[in-house]
């Protein structure tokens, strides 16, 4: 309070003392009020002190000026602008209350401002910052008040420090800039203040001068012309201008914000006039020296060039441009070039000066640059000589200056530069190749080329020129792109280079295809192969000023989009579009997500551009886009959501483009996006992108798509819509793309490719072409597909494709089915997945089977020509074999049994005619054991009702005393025998390559498997047990094999006889002799079947046989004649043959073995011809006589007797002859034991006859019995056979035991051993019965036999014999 009171008293005292003076000088009164009315201000200087102080002329003028009013900041009523705090109380009372309040507020604000201006002299940085902020805030509210206060403060305090005044200048600059307008009086007064202080030397040096200059620049915002006039006056004095003047002119030249619209051109025009007026100074040595000194003066920082120096380069260039004397121009330019080129801003300034001079002196500037380029320092820098001292650094980057100069020449010369473009380009290329390459040279080269290309592009006459050096420049740009670091993006080099390439491609001559392809590959690789943005940012973490990687990448991507658009605009054809897309395809298939995303963004941007710009020639057929649809369709299932979205959008734009091109119409409805589109803005990325953008909003649908229905569909529907507009060729390309995708290492691509393949074939498979190549390609890719779902879909596609293209696919699959691998077999199975197609597949295979190399014609027994077999014919035969094991073809094979039987028999004959080696050793791909299609011994299907058959029954309990728990190793009942694997089938765990089976062996295996897989296993058993397959090994025995097979079908009452007969009748008219031969062989045997007459009546059969008598083939004629001799046509033969049987039976007892064998064979033939009805009467005699020779010492007779007995049993099948059944029962043990006969022929006949007897006796498990007889060995097989015999012949138990005991006396060790095993099994399971029937002599014989067997070479026999001795002892010890 005391302080306030004293200040108030002081103010009143001062006001009273100076009231009279203030009434005469309002400005002084205002200053007095502003000083003494400030409660916080310093004590004002006394009046005497102010008068006696040295005041400059400018300050005196300012003190006498009337302060202008600012209507914008005053009340509408007129009132004095000064604060009249010293008026008398009566005068103040006369004012209205409102005006008085306003005056008081203004006075208070002025006092506050005055106080803050004085406080600018403080030293506290924070406080100073606060004061300046407050003053600037006040200036925005009341700029005139602040201007007035600053003016008064400067007048009242002329001796303030330079630092204080420096701060006042800054405040004054801000206040002037904040003013909407500046009165002319203020402009003149403050301009004079600025001009006076701009050239003043203080301890602050240039900083102080620049602050004063900034005040002048602030005034320029209100009246630049007045300032320019003063500047011009100062510059044209003949003395080299002060740097502050150049500073102001530099800011005026570089800062367009100072000028209003259109005023910048006026300033440039005035500057040009100033240069013209300054030409006179070029010949003034002092002025020229100071100019050169100012130009070469080192900058404070070499990264930033001061405005005065930047302007001086422009000013110098304009002067040289205006100079008429070329010698003077050359001299000055060469002098300038001889200065240092060490710093980048210096090089740019020199180039700018040269460029400005070239606007009028192009020839002379070119000559100077050429001369300078050939100078010694430049040669040194080009050849990278060692720099020994710092002075040499001034020449290191001289070539950079030259490059920039060429660029500036192009910019400034404008239309005059066109004839010089090739020359300039050649020099740029030269310096590119021969300069010491570094970042500086690279940036200079790019800047220069950018300027040149920009100048040419802006010139309307450029289209009339052909620039021969463009190709060389493009090579340089490609080298530059390739040298860019692959893992960093720190500079705009890529962006600039791509922009240059885009512009160069618009020039003539147009680029050739190879060059364009090189450019595309280089640019795409340089951008698309960059790492993720996060990785790129890590490379800039140590930079002082790291670039904005996101923005830099977006600009680079946008440049790449513009390059692609530029190419298509230059050549708006579909071929050009295909070229561009073909370079993007590898990136669309990249394994890296960021590369796929960038590629799909580029593709989508290009399609968007074409869709909206309609730049493609409407006369062009929009074709060759199937691959693009496939690539984008696959990417619609990419794990990256951004790629999915972009791919769908790309397909949408492609759909619009297809519609537009098809209709040859104007732009589509609602497609109103701009022509130049890119996937990202300059400052941001697509909102939902996840690869090269660091942030993503939560809702991707906010991405703005064109309002077309296609963009509202999901990806699968979009793909289907696009497919509707594709041609056959494009659909084929689409499928090829999908097939190629199946071989990808990316699981999602494989799955998506499979989906695409299936969708395309399902929708358009019927109209596809070149299906054969597609099928071959799918097979090649199938081996690499590891995803089960994808593989299943690919196979399903084959199934759908086969509905309309079965012949083509079958022919194609045959080409890669020898040898057959698992993938090829999967394709075959898919081919026949649908029943109608499976029938068609077999039909096509049969047709290919008949495409044999041997020419048709009769075979006369002469040596057959060794023609090379048709590969597809042999492959078809191989596939007919393999497909019999595929469940998809099971029903079709059964239905086609007659055709397949006749075709395979003819194929066997054909392979025999070829005289091919049996087993050529060719490499074969190892096949997996579990595959069902591998070559194998036929798998005979078990009868359905036997699959759940339990183990064969045995005696439920042994006597109590014979239960031996400590001896558990009794022979166990075997599991049902299984067929042995063929030698052609790999064993489990063994996958070594095998020898390819010969065509003949494959044909024979196919015939075997046909019988086994179609339910004809009994026919198969007949040939297997007799060894009948060997008959098919030579051309001579082939007829016997066919007859034997046909006879088996007749004896087994095959249900296919009628169907086979109907099929073979047309074959009798075939052009192929082998087919007629097969048909007649089967027909002659079928004559013994009553079923034949249902298809072929007796008379019709006679006609058929009679017609065959005229067949060209002698073999067919002979067989026909034999058929005509059948008893069916000659009933009288029945009695004749029956009467011959007794004499034949007497012939069994001849001494000559061969005679006996032939007689027995004759009897067998008679029985076959007579049939069951006619031979019934003699059956018993034949059986007894034949059985009596089972144990004959002569091998041939034993075998013939067993064969005769088997034929008799077969002939009597179905007849209830008890006497014959007795003979059959009594023959079972001998046949059983002779399975171990030393003669193979006897063993074969024993097996077959035993099987026939089992059929006659109607044993169960006949199929298992057959398998055991055919392939099983060892004790388990013997135990199974013994079990079958004892189970079905319990009434003949004693006979069987007696017969077995008798064989213990046999001289043949194997038979004796087999008999002992038989008895041993019997003792184990029937001990009580054996003990009652065996005599002591037999017991001793058994003991002796088992003792001998304990020494048998086979370990299992020894073990068995040891245990049997133990059992035998127990049985013999029983009372």
């Amino acid at each position: 309070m005391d302080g306030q009171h004293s200040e108030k008293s002081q103010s009143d005292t001062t006001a009273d003392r100076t009231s009279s003076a203030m009434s005469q000088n309002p400005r002084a009164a205002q200053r007095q009020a502003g000083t003494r009315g400030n409660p916080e201000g310093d004590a004002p200087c006394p009046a005497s002190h102010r008068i006696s102080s040295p005041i400059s002329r400018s300050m005196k003028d300012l003190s006498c000026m009337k302060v202008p009013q600012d209507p914008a900041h005053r009340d509408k009523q007129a009132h004095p602008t000064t604060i009249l705090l010293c008026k008398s109380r009566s005068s103040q009372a006369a004012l209205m209350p409102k005006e008085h309040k306003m005056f008081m507020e203004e006075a208070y604000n002025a006092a506050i401002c005055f106080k803050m201006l004085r406080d600018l002299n403080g030293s506290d940085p924070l406080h100073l910052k606060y004061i300046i902020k407050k003053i600037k805030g006040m200036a925005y509210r009341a700029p005139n008040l602040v201007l007035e206060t600053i003016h008064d403060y400067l007048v009242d305090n002329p001796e303030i420090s330079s630092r204080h005044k420096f701060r006042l200048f800054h405040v004054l600059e801000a206040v002037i800039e904040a003013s909407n307008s500046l009165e002319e009086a203020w402009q003149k007064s403050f301009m004079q203040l600025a001009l006076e202080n701009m050239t003043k030397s203080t301890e602050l040096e240039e900083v102080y001068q620049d602050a004063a200059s900034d005040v002048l620049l602030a005034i320029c915002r209100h009246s630049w012309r007045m300032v320019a006039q003063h500047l011009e006056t100062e510059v044209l004095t003949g003395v080299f201008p002060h740097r502050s003047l150049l500073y102001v002119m530099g800011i005026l030249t570089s800062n367009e914000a100072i000028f209003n619209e259109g005023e910048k051109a006026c300033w440039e025009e005035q500057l040009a006039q100033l240069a013209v007026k300054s030409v006179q100074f070029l010949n003034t040595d002092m002025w020229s020296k100071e100019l050169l000194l100012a130009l070469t003066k080192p900058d404070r920082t070499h990264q930033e060039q001061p405005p005065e120096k930047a302007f001086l380069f422009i000013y110098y260039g304009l002067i040289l441009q205006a100079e008429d004397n070329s010698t003077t121009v050359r001299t000055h330019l060469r002098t300038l070039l001889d200065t240092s080129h060490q710093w980048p801003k210096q090089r740019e300034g020199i180039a700018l000066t040269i460029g400005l001079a070239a606007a009028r002196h192009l020839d002379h500037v070119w000559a100077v640059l050429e001369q300078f380029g050939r100078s010694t320092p430049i040669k040194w820098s080009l050849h990278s000589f060692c720099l020994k001292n710092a002075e040499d650094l001034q020449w290191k980057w001289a070539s950079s200056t030259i490059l920039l100069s060429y660029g500036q020449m192009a910019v400034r010369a404008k239309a005059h530069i066109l004839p010089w473009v090739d020359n300039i380009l050649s020099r740029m290329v030269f310096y590119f190749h021969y300069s010491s390459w570094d970042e500086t040279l690279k940036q200079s080269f790019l800047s220069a080329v950018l300027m040149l290309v920009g100048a040419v592009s802006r010139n309307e006459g450029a289209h009339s020129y052909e620039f021969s050096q463009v190709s060389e420049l493009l090579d340089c740009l490609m080298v530059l792109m390739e040298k860019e670091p692959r893992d960093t993006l720190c500079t705009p080099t890529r962006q600039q280079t791509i922009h240059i390439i885009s512009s160069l491609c618009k020039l003539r001559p147009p680029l050739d295809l190879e060059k364009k392809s090189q450019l595309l590959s280089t640019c795409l690789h340089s951008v698309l192969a960059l790492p993720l943005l996060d990785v790129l940012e890590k490379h800039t973490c140590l930079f002082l000023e790291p670039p904005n990687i996101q923005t830099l990448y977006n600009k680079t991507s946008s440049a790449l989009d513009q390059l692609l658009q530029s190419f298509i605009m230059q050549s708006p054809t579909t071929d050009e579009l295909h070229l561009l897309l073909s370079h993007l395809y590898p990136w669309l298939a990249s394994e890296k997500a960021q590369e796929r995303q960038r590629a799909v963004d580029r593709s989508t941007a290009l399609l968007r551009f074409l869709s909206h710009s309609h730049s493609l020639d409407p006369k062009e057929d929009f074709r060759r886009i199937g691959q693009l649809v496939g690539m984008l369709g696959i990417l619609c299932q990419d794990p990256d959501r951004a790629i999915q979205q972009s791919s769908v959008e790309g397909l949408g734009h492609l759909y619009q483009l297809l519609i537009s091109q098809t209709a040859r119409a104007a732009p589509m409805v609602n497609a109103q996006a701009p022509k130049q589109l890119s996937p990202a803005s300059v400052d941001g990325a697509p909102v939902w992108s996840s690869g090269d953008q660091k942030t993503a909003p939560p809702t991707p649908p906010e991405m703005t798509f064109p309002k077309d229905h296609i963009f509202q569909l999901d990806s699968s529907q979009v793909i289907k819509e696009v497919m509707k507009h594709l041609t056959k060729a494009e659909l084929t390309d689409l499928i090829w793309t999908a097939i190629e995708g199946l071989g990808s290492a990316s699981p999602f691509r494989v799955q998506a490719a499979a989906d695409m393949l299936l969708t395309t074939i399902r929708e358009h498979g019927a109209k596809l072409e070149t299906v054969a190549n597609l099928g071959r390609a799918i097979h090649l890719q199938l081996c690499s597909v590891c995803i089960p779902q994808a593989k299943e879909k690919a196979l399903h596609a084959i199934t759908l494709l086969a509905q309309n293209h079965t012949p083509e696919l079958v022919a194609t699959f045959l080409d890669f089915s020898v040898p057959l691998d698992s993938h090829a077999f999967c394709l075959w199975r898919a081919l026949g997945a649908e029943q109608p197609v499976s029938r068609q597949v077999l039909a096509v295979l049969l047709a290919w089977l008949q495409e044999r190399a041997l020419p048709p014609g009769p075979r006369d027994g002469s040596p057959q020509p060794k023609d090379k077999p048709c590969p597809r014919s042999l492959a078809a035969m191989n596939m007919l074999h393999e497909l019999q094991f595929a469940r998809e073809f099971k029903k079709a094979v059964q239905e086609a049994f007659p055709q397949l039987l006749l075709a395979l028999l003819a194929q066997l004959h054909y392979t025999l005619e070829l005289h091919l080696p049996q087993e050529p050793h060719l490499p074969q791909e190892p096949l997996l054991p579990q595959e069902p299609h591998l070559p194998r011994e036929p798998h005979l299907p078990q009868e359905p009702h036997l699959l759940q058959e339990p183990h064969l029954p045995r005696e439920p309990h042994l006597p109590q005393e014979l239960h031996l728990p400590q001896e558990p190793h009794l022979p166990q009942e075997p599991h049902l025998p299984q067929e042995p694997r063929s030698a052609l089938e790999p064993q489990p765990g063994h996958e070594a390559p095998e020898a390819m089976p010969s065509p003949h062996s494959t044909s024979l295996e196919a015939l075997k498997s046909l019988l086994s897989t179609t339910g004809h296993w009994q026919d198969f058993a007949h040939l297997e047990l007799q060894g009948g397959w060997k008959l098919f090994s030579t051309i001579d025995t082939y007829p016997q094999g066919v007859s034997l097979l046909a006879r088996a079908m007749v004896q087994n009452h095959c249900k296919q006889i009628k169907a086979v007969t109907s099929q073979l009748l047309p074959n009798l008219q075939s052009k192929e002799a082998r087919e007629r031969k097969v048909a007649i062989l089967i027909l002659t045997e079928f004559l013994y079947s009553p079923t034949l007459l249902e298809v072929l009546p007796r008379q019709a059969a006679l006609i058929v046989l009679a017609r065959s008598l005229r067949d060209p083939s002698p073999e067919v004629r002979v067989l026909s004649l034999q058929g005509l001799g059948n008893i069916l046509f000659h009933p009288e033969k029945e009695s004749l043959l029956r009467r011959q049987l007794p004499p034949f039976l007497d012939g069994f007892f001849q001494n000559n073995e061969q005679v006996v064998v032939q007689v027995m064979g004759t009897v067998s033939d008679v029985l076959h011809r007579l049939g069951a009805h006619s031979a019934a009467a003699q059956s018993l005699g034949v059986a007894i006589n034949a059985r009596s020779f089972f144990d004959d010492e002569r091998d041939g007779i034993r075998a013939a007797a067993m064969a005769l007995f088997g034929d008799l049993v077969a002939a009597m099948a179905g007849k209830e002859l008890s006497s014959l059944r007795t003979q059959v029962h009594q023959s079972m043990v001998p046949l059983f034991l002779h399975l171990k006969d030393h003669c193979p022929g006897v063993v074969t006949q024993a097996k077959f006859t035993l099987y026939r007897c089992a059929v006659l006796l109607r044993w169960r498990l006949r199929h298992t019995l057959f398998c055991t007889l055919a392939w099983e060995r060892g004790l388990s097989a013997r135990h199974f056979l013994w079990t079958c015999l004892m189970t079905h012949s319990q009434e003949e138990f004693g006979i069987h035991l007696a017969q077995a005991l008798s064989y213990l006396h046999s001289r043949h060790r194997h038979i004796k051993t087999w008999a002992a095993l038989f008895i041993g099994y019997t003792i184990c399971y029937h001990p009580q019965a054996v003990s009652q029937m065996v005599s002591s002599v037999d017991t001793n014989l058994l003991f002796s036999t088992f003792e001998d067997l304990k020494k048998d070479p086979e370990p299992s026999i020894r073990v068995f014999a040891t245990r049997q001795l133990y059992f035998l002892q127990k049985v013999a010890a029983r009372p």
Side-chain angles (χ1 to χ4, degrees), residues 223 228 392 675 1019 1087 1205:
S223 179
D392 293 335
K675 292 184 179 181
D1019 305 330
L1087 292 173
F1205 191 83

Side-chain angles (χ1 to χ4, degrees), residues 989-1061:
H990 178 70
E991 300 183 3
E994 302 172 353
M996 264 295 297
S998 67
H1000 175 76
S1001 63
T1002 303
S1003 301
L1004 185 58
E1005 291 298 324
L1007 179 61
K1008 293 179 181 180
S1009 60
L1010 177 66
L1011 297 174
S1012 63
T1013 57
T1014 55
H1016 298 81
W1017 68 268
Q1018 294 175 334
D1019 305 330
F1020 176 86
H1022 272 242
L1023 273 76
E1024 182 68 29
L1025 293 175
Q1026 293 182 83
W1029 302 117
K1030 296 179 181 179
L1031 299 174
F1032 292 98
S1033 60
T1034 64
I1035 196 72
D1036 296 328
T1037 58
Y1038 171 82
Q1040 301 176 35
V1042 176
S1043 298
L1044 189 62
L1045 176 58
R1047 184 176 302 178
M1049 296 175 66
V1050 172
Q1051 292 177 353
N1052 292 317
H1053 307 288
C1054 178
K1055 296 179 181 180
Q1056 292 282 355
I1057 288 180
K1058 291 193 292 183
V1060 173
T1061 302

Side-chain angles (χ1 to χ4, degrees), residues 685-709:
V687 294
W688 37 260
S689 181
S690 62
D692 288 324
Q693 284 73 32
K694 297 178 287 185
T695 59
T699 55
E702 294 182 6
M703 181 71 182
T704 56
F705 290 121
K707 296 179 180 179
D708 193 291
H709 77 283

Side-chain angles (χ1 to χ4, degrees), residues 688-910:
W688 37 260
S689 181
S690 62
D692 288 324
Q693 284 73 32
K694 297 178 287 185
T695 59
T699 55
E702 294 182 6
M703 181 71 182
T704 56
F705 290 121
K707 296 179 180 179
D708 193 291
H709 77 283
I710 195 68
F711 295 99
Q712 311 304 320
L713 305 177
D714 60 26
S715 60
S716 61
Q717 293 173 322
V718 173
I719 294 171
K720 291 179 181 179
E721 288 296 323
V722 175
M723 285 182 186
K724 293 178 182 178
H725 299 275
L726 300 182
T727 63
K728 293 180 181 179
E730 290 167 348
L731 288 171
T732 303
D733 289 341
L734 171 57
I735 293 179
W736 276 109
T737 304
I739 293 174
E740 184 179 357
L742 293 175
S744 173
S746 300
F748 92 87
R749 292 190 64 84
V750 176
Q751 188 67 50
D755 292 337
M756 177 74 66
L757 178 64
L758 182 58
T759 300
T760 308
I761 292 179
R762 179 184 286 117
E763 299 291 330
H764 306 281
K767 59 182 180 181
L768 289 177
E769 298 176 351
T770 64
V771 174
N773 293 333
L774 297 178
R776 189 177 296 109
I778 292 176
H779 168 252
L780 293 175
Q781 295 289 5
L782 206 60
C783 60
S784 61
V785 179
C786 301
I787 302 175
Q789 297 86 348
K791 188 172 185 178
E792 182 179 351
K793 290 180 180 179
L795 294 175
H796 189 198
I798 290 294
T799 301
L800 297 177
L801 200 59
Q803 294 175 352
N804 302 283
H805 307 281
T806 304
E808 299 98 309
L809 290 176
V810 170
T812 300
F813 289 0
L814 286 175
D815 292 338
F816 54 72
S817 295
V818 179
L820 184 66
D821 56 52
S822 59
H823 305 294
F825 189 71
C826 289
L827 290 173
W828 284 102
R829 293 181 60 182
L831 204 60
E834 296 181 354
Q835 195 60 39
V837 179
S838 64
R839 298 190 186 100
Q840 189 177 359
V841 170
L842 290 181
V844 176
L845 286 175
L846 286 172
W848 275 110
L849 187 65
Q850 296 176 359
E851 294 291 330
R852 304 181 180 103
L854 290 177
R859 320 302 288 181
D860 54 3
S862 60
Q864 305 295 335
K866 295 184 179 180
D867 299 315
K868 184 177 181 180
C870 175
R872 283 187 176 174
S873 175
L874 299 180
M877 172 261 299
N878 181 61
M879 286 315 305
L880 286 172
H881 171 220
E882 300 292 344
L883 294 181
Q884 294 168 16
F885 300 100
R887 64 176 181 273
E888 292 82 1
F889 289 87
K890 183 176 182 180
K891 186 175 182 180
V893 169
Q894 290 176 344
E895 294 174 353
F897 176 82
Q899 298 94 322
L900 290 172
L901 177 66
L902 296 176
L904 291 176
L905 288 173
Q907 181 70 13
L908 271 172
H909 194 283
Y910 167 69

Side-chain angles (χ1 to χ4, degrees), residues 1016-1182:
H1016 298 81
W1017 68 268
Q1018 294 175 334
D1019 305 330
F1020 176 86
H1022 272 242
L1023 273 76
E1024 182 68 29
L1025 293 175
Q1026 293 182 83
W1029 302 117
K1030 296 179 181 179
L1031 299 174
F1032 292 98
S1033 60
T1034 64
I1035 196 72
D1036 296 328
T1037 58
Y1038 171 82
Q1040 301 176 35
V1042 176
S1043 298
L1044 189 62
L1045 176 58
R1047 184 176 302 178
M1049 296 175 66
V1050 172
Q1051 292 177 353
N1052 292 317
H1053 307 288
C1054 178
K1055 296 179 181 180
Q1056 292 282 355
I1057 288 180
K1058 291 193 292 183
V1060 173
T1061 302
S1062 300
Q1063 186 67 32
L1064 66 81
L1065 290 177
N1067 284 11
L1068 290 171
Q1069 307 299 323
S1070 172
K1071 296 180 180 180
E1072 293 287 343
R1074 67 179 71 87
E1075 294 183 359
R1076 300 195 303 273
K1077 180 178 179 181
V1078 170
I1080 198 66
L1081 283 170
I1082 295 177
L1083 181 61
T1084 54
E1085 288 297 332
F1086 279 6
L1087 292 173
Y1088 294 101
S1089 173
T1091 309
L1092 176 71
L1093 300 178
E1094 299 178 15
V1095 181
L1096 188 66
R1098 178 175 175 274
Q1099 191 61 33
L1102 280 172
I1103 295 174
V1104 169
L1105 291 172
R1107 186 187 302 117
S1108 296
L1109 290 175
R1110 298 188 296 272
D1111 193 274
S1113 172
E1115 295 176 286
V1116 175
R1117 295 198 298 270
V1118 171
L1119 292 171
S1120 301
L1121 188 61
Q1122 292 176 357
L1124 288 172
N1126 192 285
I1127 197 172
L1128 176 65
F1129 307 114
H1130 306 282
E1132 67 278 5
K1133 284 187 176 183
E1134 179 180 344
S1135 59
L1136 176 63
L1137 291 175
R1138 196 166 43 246
R1139 289 195 299 270
Q1140 296 299 321
L1141 282 177
F1144 285 151
L1145 295 179
D1146 294 338
F1148 289 1
F1149 300 97
Q1150 296 289 329
N1151 293 327
N1152 191 316
E1153 178 182 356
Q1154 185 176 3
V1155 172
V1156 175
V1157 171
Q1158 291 179 353
V1159 171
M1160 289 183 178
T1162 303
V1163 173
S1164 294
D1165 185 58
V1166 170
L1167 291 176
H1168 170 63
R1169 295 177 183 275
L1170 289 175
H1173 296 282
S1174 303
Q1178 289 84 7
S1179 61
L1180 182 60
V1182 174

Side-chain angles (χ1 to χ4, degrees), residues 475-486 518 521-522 525-526:
D475 290 336
C476 297
L477 293 172
M478 284 191 289
V479 172
L480 190 149
M481 288 283 280
E482 290 171 354
K483 287 184 177 181
E484 280 295 290
R486 300 296 175 87
Q518 292 175 356
S521 299
T522 303
H525 188 276
S526 182

Side-chain angles (χ1 to χ4, degrees), residues 75-107:
D75 193 83
K76 293 182 179 179
Q77 298 181 3
H79 54 80
T81 58
T82 55
I83 306 174
L84 302 178
L85 294 180
C86 300
K87 282 189 176 183
S88 63
R89 296 182 184 273
S90 61
S91 299
Q92 295 184 18
L95 298 175
M96 296 295 293
K98 182 176 181 181
E99 294 176 343
H100 176 71
K101 181 179 180 181
M102 184 179 298
F103 284 135
M104 293 303 295
E105 288 180 356
E106 289 185 358

Side-chain angles (χ1 to χ4, degrees), residues 279-573:
V279 169
Q280 55 184 326
F281 304 130
L282 288 178
N283 297 322
T284 304
D285 292 340
M286 182 61 66
W287 197 93
S288 299
K289 289 180 180 179
E290 290 189 18
L291 170 64
L292 191 61
L293 182 63
L295 290 174
T296 57
K297 179 182 177 181
D299 301 327
R300 290 189 298 270
T301 61
H302 296 291
Q303 300 300 322
E304 294 293 335
Q305 193 175 46
E308 63 272 17
K309 191 171 183 178
F311 171 75
L312 200 55
F313 279 113
I314 297 174
Y315 182 47
Y316 193 15
L318 292 174
I319 295 174
L320 292 176
Q321 182 183 121
E323 173 62 59
D324 294 328
N325 190 333
S326 60
T327 304
T328 303
V329 173
R330 289 193 179 199
T331 302
H332 278 270
L333 288 180
R334 183 55 195 265
T335 303
L336 182 62
L337 286 171
D338 287 337
T339 60
S340 176
H341 301 264
Q342 183 174 357
W343 307 112
K345 293 299 180 180
Q346 188 75 9
R347 296 191 293 270
E348 294 174 7
I350 294 173
L352 179 57
T353 300
I354 293 174
L356 289 169
R360 191 169 173 221
H361 305 284
L362 186 58
D363 294 349
H364 304 295
V365 171
W366 174 265
V368 170
L369 288 176
E370 285 293 287
Q371 182 184 8
F372 181 67
R374 292 184 176 89
S375 62
T376 302
I378 301 301
K379 293 180 180 178
W380 286 352
S381 65
L382 292 179
H383 290 85
S384 303
F385 285 124
C386 258
L387 300 175
K388 299 181 179 179
N389 51 58
E391 294 181 358
D392 293 335
L393 288 175
Q394 67 173 339
W395 302 109
K396 180 178 181 181
W397 293 286
S399 55
S400 172
T401 305
I402 297 175
L403 286 171
L404 293 173
S405 299
Y406 285 132
Q408 290 290 351
M409 285 172 59
V411 173
R412 306 299 171 178
K414 297 181 180 179
H416 302 289
I417 199 63
L418 292 178
W420 293 84
V421 170
D422 277 332
N423 291 334
I424 294 176
L425 287 178
S426 65
R427 303 311 296 162
M428 287 182 172
V429 171
F430 171 79
Y431 286 110
F432 176 88
H433 287 299
Y434 295 101
S435 298
S436 300
W437 196 252
D438 57 11
E439 189 67 22
T440 299
L441 262 296
K442 179 177 70 175
Q443 290 302 323
S444 299
F445 175 78
L446 285 176
S447 300
V449 177
L450 274 172
M451 289 187 284
L452 175 63
V453 171
V456 174
S457 301
R458 290 188 296 270
N459 199 310
E460 296 180 355
H463 66 276
S464 61
Y465 281 83
E466 287 196 0
F467 304 103
S468 60
Q469 294 295 316
V470 169
S471 179
E472 284 73 12
L473 180 59
L474 288 173
D475 290 336
C476 297
L477 293 172
M478 284 191 289
V479 172
L480 190 149
M481 288 283 280
E482 290 171 354
K483 287 184 177 181
E484 280 295 290
R486 300 296 175 87
D487 57 347
T488 59
L489 182 66
C490 304
T491 64
T493 299
R494 288 182 173 88
Q495 172 194 349
Q496 295 171 350
T497 305
I498 296 174
H499 276 309
I500 293 170
I501 294 174
S502 299
S503 300
L504 289 176
C505 293
K506 300 175 183 178
L507 303 179
R508 296 177 57 200
L511 301 179
D512 56 46
L513 185 62
E514 181 180 0
K515 179 69 69 176
K516 191 177 297 184
S517 180
Q518 292 175 356
L519 288 171
L520 285 170
S521 299
T522 303
C523 294
L524 289 173
H525 188 276
S526 182
V527 178
L528 302 186
L530 287 171
L532 287 170
L533 296 192
D534 292 339
V535 178
L536 293 175
E537 287 187 346
K538 292 179 181 178
H539 290 283
T540 63
C541 61
L542 298 179
F543 286 21
L544 294 177
E545 296 181 2
N548 188 325
I549 297 299
Q550 182 71 68
T551 302
L552 193 57
Y553 170 76
N554 289 338
K555 290 182 178 179
T556 306
S557 298
S558 179
L560 188 57
D561 287 336
Q562 292 175 8
L563 175 64
L564 298 177
Q565 295 168 10
S566 175
F567 278 133
I568 200 67
M569 291 296 292
Q570 294 301 311
S571 179
T573 64

